[in-house]
Amino acid sequence: MTHMLSRRRFVGGSAAAAATLGLAQMTTAGALASLARIQDGPTAIDYWHRSSGNAAAEWEKLAAAFNEEMAGSVAVTAIAQGDIQELNQKIRAAASGGGLPGATMGDDYDITQYAANEIIVDIDPFLNDPENGLTAEEQADFLPNQFNRHKLTIYDDRRMAFPQGFSAFTCFWNADALQAAGFDEPPATWQEFPDHVRAVAEANPGMTGWNIGGAGDRFISVLLTHGVQWLADDGQTSNFDRPEALEIMTWWKQLGDEGLLAVIDGDDARNAFTSGTAAYFMDSSGNTADILAAAPAFTWDCGLPPQGADNPEPVTETYGPVNAIPTNDEAMQLAGWLWLKWLTTPAAMAQWVMATDYFPSRVSVAESPELTAYYEGNPYAAKLVQEVAPLARILSPSPALTQVRGQITADVVNEVLLGRLTPEDGVLKLKVEADAAIEEASA
Amino acid sequence: MTAGTTPRRTGLSAAALYAVLIGGALVVAFPFLWMVLTSFKSVQESNAYPPSLLPEVWRGQNYTDAWFTPPSTLGRYLLNSAVIAIAGTGIQVVIATLAAYAFARLRFPGRNALFLLVLATTMVPDEVRLIPNFMTIRGFPLAGGNDLTGSGGSGFYDTYAGIILPGLAGAFTIFLLRQAFRQVPGDLWEAAQLDGASSLRFLLGVMIPLALPALLTVTIFGLVARWNALLWPLLITRSESLRPVQVAMTFYQTEFVTDHGQMMAASVMVTLPIVVLYVLVQRQFIEGVAGTGIKG
């Protein structure tokens, strides 16, 4: 009976999959026809991003190059929409009031929110389209963790975003300070880290251990490097009752009390490292170029952050945005896909990497001639793209992540470091408040 | 004895008072001083830790760089902000003056209930109004290719009108001016009526001159709010050629590092018009604040 049911489900499922595939192909074919129908001008779309400074200027150049290549069929305008929150608000406003762009940048938790509200569409039909998609060989060229970053069970196995560049949680250290304490490199595990920091501080009077820029972000990143996601597998509760969370909170508190660890502003944390007053700086891999530019008066290095002693597979957290296709008419969606696909071509991706110091999401691009000179000029980035980039993966997505990371975790860590809560009470409070936030976001 | 100690006590009190005032002034002025000094620092120096007060090398180039960094140059954004602030505030003050006069002087059924309704709008947070405002502006009938039902086009999206329209009826401004108008003695209105003056003539000839400090106060509040607006203009525009100066400020920050020297140079240029305006009308502004009972 069970077997029969399973078989029926299998047959039904296969039929549904075939129908979906057929529909997807028809949809794409229809979109192509829509594009072809527009003879008197290209399909004009906007691409909304949250980049600023040089990166925003780079978008303009990329859009100009794309428009030249696609002359007569698609024209894209890259538009800066402020920071993460402002871009998110604009997308939500446009989803209600009209005027969604042809393609948009989004951060991981935005994508989850947009997918839940059907603001964005599945990318797989475009990706697998024989005419406009990517070949199996091209798809295999992407780093698996990035390629499948948003092809998740919570989206019913749909692919809701497409990668471009990314960065990762990275450890930067003052090699001279470590050398003075007799260490060639940081410890492999977090369990060794507190004593290691004490030894480094003792050998380097006046130097602190680790200034943390962004308590909530770093706490959850460190938890991930123990092999523990912040969100439980059921997606309904947090993992802050895991012993690793208490372990982290305890040694942070101990080092804090000893004056070897502090939570400060992100820029100040990097500046403290580059000025030689902190032995460690742990943040985005994209900081290599800026640390190089600051020209520290000591030898420094970078690599994968320490891992939990019981973590079977080395891991670090992926940072940086992805791209998605908002729900629009077929022609606009196809135009949006063509733009996103073009952004992952070797020349365009290399250009983006050089402008932002992100990692490329395609393996061949990292080894391409376009990036040879860039990596020669920044050997730290060259090292990280080989050693850290393949191990980076995203935090379990949830609409509650922003609140849990940015507010709840940050507040609890600060309260523990200030002595208002014990580490035990801290993780207890963290668990209760995070679970409530997850429940509220799910409702 | 008493007479002998009074001047000394007065002198001491005055000295203590001045010390407190000077201390307070330094606290208020320090961020501005820091902004100006940092605007001359290089990126390395502005990111140095611990930070220094004075630049080692004075880098005036930051101002030129800051001017040319945003697309279309900072000047275009300053001009847009000036247009938005002046037009938006001007229209808002006219509307608010008429409404405040009606609520303060005219007698009509439901006046108090209507006024409470106006006041109640101040309790709705800006964030809650964003999406409804966006929908209203984009779906504005017969504008930007829209039909009578507000469909088919983009309404006032990506226009100066779209940026300005939602802030034109400000409950806080109406409340403030109503308070000022209510302080004008009723005898004046009776005298004006005997002279045959209409409500509009009384408003223009008597009320507005007497309530000038309050009008200047709401004008400054309006100008500053529009000058500092970021989210709404960002939401309702797509063309850089229409966007105000606070949007330009986002171009000085990159993903991983901020050139604080350039950002502070831009901040000096952006803050300067508001500081000059305040200096010019500070006496009336303080009178207006005192007269309408606004506190910090």
Side-chain angles (χ1 to χ4, degrees):
Chain A
M1 179 71 181
T2 311
H3 177 70
M4 289 294 287
L5 195 65
S6 300
R7 191 175 166 188
R8 196 184 304 160
R9 275 186 182 161
F10 173 76
V11 172
S14 303
T20 308
L21 192 64
L23 189 66
Q25 285 180 344
M26 281 171 62
T27 305
T28 310
L32 274 173
S34 300
L35 272 184
R37 275 199 300 274
I38 304 167
Q39 296 297 323
D40 55 344
T43 301
I45 59 163
D46 285 350
Y47 169 67
W48 290 357
H49 63 80
R50 61 157 177 80
S51 302
S52 56
N54 292 342
E58 202 60 36
W59 280 123
E60 309 259 334
K61 290 182 202 162
L62 285 166
F66 172 79
N67 292 345
E68 195 178 328
E69 209 170 296
M70 303 292 285
S73 56
V74 184
V76 66
T77 306
I79 301 175
Q81 299 291 8
D83 64 14
I84 298 173
Q85 283 83 17
E86 287 147 5
L87 171 59
N88 180 291
Q89 277 171 314
K90 176 129 185 179
I91 287 284
R92 288 190 293 120
S96 305
L100 278 168
T104 185
M105 184 184 269
D107 285 84
D108 292 321
Y109 34 87
D110 297 323
I111 298 300
T112 312
Q113 196 185 76
Y114 301 158
N117 292 292
E118 301 291 336
I119 291 172
I120 53 176
V121 299
D122 184 8
I123 287 178
D124 270 339
F126 300 100
L127 179 69
N128 297 317
D129 179 74
E131 195 171 343
N132 293 303
L134 292 176
T135 64
E137 193 184 351
E138 285 170 327
Q139 292 186 27
D141 187 34
F142 284 81
L143 288 164
N145 286 345
Q146 299 307 316
F147 190 59
N148 298 316
R149 190 162 155 180
H150 280 280
K151 187 176 174 67
L152 303 167
T153 50
I154 59 163
Y155 308 139
D156 299 326
D157 213 32
R158 293 176 300 163
R159 188 184 307 275
M160 302 311 290
F162 202 59
Q164 190 190 6
F166 69 103
S167 60
F169 178 47
T170 298
C171 178
F172 300 87
W173 63 88
N174 181 325
D176 289 346
L178 266 64
Q179 199 76 51
F183 301 111
D184 289 331
E185 56 187 16
T189 68
W190 288 114
Q191 284 72 17
E192 301 163 79
F193 190 73
D195 283 341
H196 164 88
V197 162
R198 290 182 186 106
V200 171
E202 196 177 335
N204 299 275
M207 183 178 279
T208 189
W210 176 22
N211 282 333
I212 298 173
D217 293 50
R218 296 296 94 82
F219 186 86
I220 288 176
S221 298
V222 173
L223 187 63
L224 180 69
T225 56
H226 284 74
V228 179
Q229 281 278 4
W230 74 283
L231 191 67
D233 289 341
D234 63 6
Q236 304 300 312
T237 55
S238 71
N239 269 331
F240 295 125
D241 52 349
R242 290 280 299 260
E244 292 87 348
L246 177 59
E247 193 184 310
I248 298 164
M249 198 72 90
T250 304
W251 68 258
W252 279 26
K253 170 66 175 157
Q254 287 168 351
L255 288 184
D257 288 347
E258 294 167 40
L260 300 176
L261 177 147
V263 173
I264 60 175
D265 174 72
D267 278 357
D268 288 343
R270 185 186 49 240
N271 296 339
F273 173 72
T274 55
S275 64
T277 55
Y280 281 95
F281 170 58
M282 299 197 208
D283 207 294
S284 167
S285 53
N287 281 286
T288 52
D290 296 315
I291 297 175
L292 267 174
F298 54 84
T299 311
W300 62 281
D301 207 346
C302 52
L304 187 72
Q307 302 286 302
D310 298 327
N311 182 19
E313 283 180 47
V315 64
T316 190
E317 187 187 333
T318 289
Y319 297 148
V322 285
N323 291 316
I325 302 175
T327 308
N328 264 312
D329 65 51
E330 291 172 6
M332 280 187 74
Q333 288 180 13
L334 179 59
W337 160 249
L338 293 174
W339 162 243
L340 298 191
K341 185 180 81 164
W342 183 84
L343 288 174
T344 62
T345 55
M349 192 178 274
Q351 193 177 332
W352 181 240
V353 167
M354 288 186 281
T356 59
D357 301 308
Y358 277 135
F359 297 134
S361 56
R362 291 182 72 161
V363 177
S364 63
V365 175
E367 295 155 0
S368 66
E370 284 95 340
L371 288 180
T372 306
Y374 166 74
Y375 283 128
E376 278 174 5
N378 186 345
Y380 301 99
K383 178 188 177 190
L384 294 178
V385 78
Q386 296 299 328
E387 295 179 7
V388 174
L391 304 174
R393 67 169 186 241
I394 63 165
L395 296 174
S396 295
S398 156
L401 178 58
T402 310
Q403 189 190 355
V404 170
R405 182 162 60 177
Q407 285 173 19
I408 298 171
T409 312
D411 289 349
V412 166
V413 168
N414 281 321
E415 284 186 84
V416 169
L417 292 180
L418 290 169
R420 293 179 190 153
L421 288 173
T422 63
E424 290 79 7
D425 290 342
V427 290
L428 198 64
K429 184 178 179 186
L430 185 51
K431 168 74 179 163
V432 170
E433 292 190 358
D435 285 2
I438 294 164
E439 191 183 342
E440 195 181 324
S442 305
Chain B
M1 179 93 178
T2 308
T5 54
T6 303
R8 194 159 57 224
R9 272 194 193 161
T10 308
L12 281 173
S13 302
L17 184 66
Y18 276 108
V20 169
L21 288 175
I22 289 169
L26 283 175
V27 168
V28 172
F30 186 75
F32 289 96
L33 181 69
W34 184 263
M35 177 175 76
V36 173
L37 292 174
T38 306
S39 73
F40 290 101
K41 291 179 184 173
S42 66
V43 64
Q44 285 82 8
E45 215 182 330
S46 66
N47 280 311
Y49 189 85
S52 61
L53 182 65
L54 290 171
E56 265 182 44
V57 179
W58 292 74
R59 198 182 133 81
Q61 179 72 22
N62 283 346
Y63 282 82
T64 321
D65 293 347
W67 186 264
F68 288 106
T69 290
S72 323
T73 76
L74 187 61
R76 176 74 210 191
Y77 295 84
L78 285 166
L79 179 69
N80 289 339
S81 280
V83 169
I84 294 162
I86 293 168
T89 307
I91 301 170
Q92 183 196 13
V93 169
V94 170
I95 292 172
T97 303
L98 295 172
Y101 178 76
F103 285 126
R105 287 288 166 207
L106 302 185
R107 296 194 179 278
F108 55 91
R111 184 179 73 163
N112 290 340
L114 267 179
F115 183 61
L116 280 177
L117 201 64
V118 170
L119 279 189
T121 62
T122 60
M123 294 174 195
V124 183
D126 287 347
E127 290 76 13
V128 175
R129 290 196 292 242
L130 275 178
I131 291 178
N133 278 343
F134 184 89
M135 293 169 74
T136 308
I137 293 296
R138 243 196 107 83
F140 207 93
L142 304 176
N146 278 345
D147 58 22
L148 202 59
T149 63
S151 312
S154 55
F156 284 123
Y157 179 74
D158 205 33
T159 62
Y160 283 127
I163 303 173
I164 291 169
L165 268 173
L168 290 185
F172 180 63
T173 310
I174 294 171
F175 168 75
L176 231 63
L177 290 178
R178 175 185 176 267
Q179 296 303 98
F181 290 160
R182 280 168 68 93
Q183 287 173 16
V184 175
D187 297 350
L188 291 176
W189 171 230
E190 285 162 16
Q193 273 182 316
L194 286 175
D195 289 342
S198 65
S199 278
L200 188 62
R201 190 184 166 91
F202 178 66
L203 172 67
L204 295 174
V206 180
M207 290 290 240
I208 288 178
L210 287 174
L212 203 56
L215 274 165
L216 280 170
T217 303
V218 297
T219 303
I220 288 188
F221 277 137
L223 288 172
V224 172
R226 283 175 178 81
W227 195 263
N228 290 335
L230 169 67
L231 190 55
W232 176 250
L234 200 58
L235 235 62
I236 205 65
T237 58
R238 66 181 289 280
S239 309
E240 290 302 328
S241 59
L242 281 177
R243 290 179 155 178
V245 78
Q246 297 304 328
V247 176
M249 294 303 292
T250 63
F251 284 95
Y252 300 102
Q253 195 159 7
T254 64
E255 180 100 14
F256 303 111
V257 73
T258 304
D259 186 341
H260 293 287
Q262 213 180 95
M263 181 180 259
M264 290 302 142
S267 299
V268 170
M269 291 188 274
V270 170
T271 315
L272 205 58
I274 293 292
V275 172
V276 169
L277 178 74
Y278 180 76
V279 168
L280 289 176
V281 295
Q282 61 173 314
R283 192 174 58 80
Q284 289 87 343
F285 180 75
I286 291 164
E287 279 174 21
V289 167
T292 50
I294 312 166
K295 288 181 180 173

